Amino acid sequence: MSRHRVGKARDLPPGLSKSLWAGGRRVALFNLAGELFATDAACPHMGADLSNGGVCGDILTCAWHEWKFNLRTGQGLTRKWACLKMHRLTLEGEDLVLGLCETPSPGDEAP
């Protein structure tokens, strides 16, 4: 697992999400009431940026076609085969630190 400093805590306040490039892949970051989550940003259905989706409880809904995912586990709820690749996002002091799984999702390599 590679580690990357991706910002400060103030850059991702509770209730917000954003996507960024780190370690050659696009990643979506989420802050749910102080709990941090990270996943590959591309929806496994059609590649939409999941950071633009809505979150209600633990459920992330893709903005394009409303596919649903469990943000805690990455499990696909619309289609069981469509799971998210989850990463570790932690707070070290004021720094957001992303721990990336080593295998990128198909079509999500940096340009």
Side-chain angles (χ1 to χ4, degrees):
M1 182 174 290
S2 62
R3 292 171 32 95
H4 306 270
R5 295 197 188 287
V6 293
K8 299 289 186 184
R10 67 179 173 266
D11 299 331
L12 191 65
L16 291 184
S17 60
K18 70 178 193 174
S19 65
L20 50 79
W21 286 95
R25 67 194 323 154
R26 192 168 46 112
V27 180
L29 311 179
F30 300 88
N31 184 335
L32 303 182
E35 202 169 351
L36 302 174
F37 298 93
T39 182
D40 280 0
C43 178
H45 174 224
M46 297 283 294
D49 185 343
L50 289 171
S51 71
N52 293 324
V55 178
C56 183
D58 295 342
I59 306 304
L60 168 63
T61 303
C62 178
W64 280 10
H65 299 107
E66 298 185 359
W67 281 35
K68 298 184 184 318
F69 307 91
N70 184 306
L71 194 52
R72 292 184 183 281
T73 66
Q75 177 184 7
L77 303 176
T78 303
R79 299 284 189 273
K80 296 297 182 192
W81 58 263
C83 296
L84 302 178
K85 182 177 296 293
M86 302 300 294
H87 305 285
R88 178 174 293 164
L89 182 62
T90 58
L91 194 57
E92 293 182 8
E94 288 299 309
D95 292 329
L96 292 170
V97 178
L98 178 65
L100 286 177
C101 294
E102 297 304 323
T103 308
S105 294
D108 206 31
E109 293 82 18

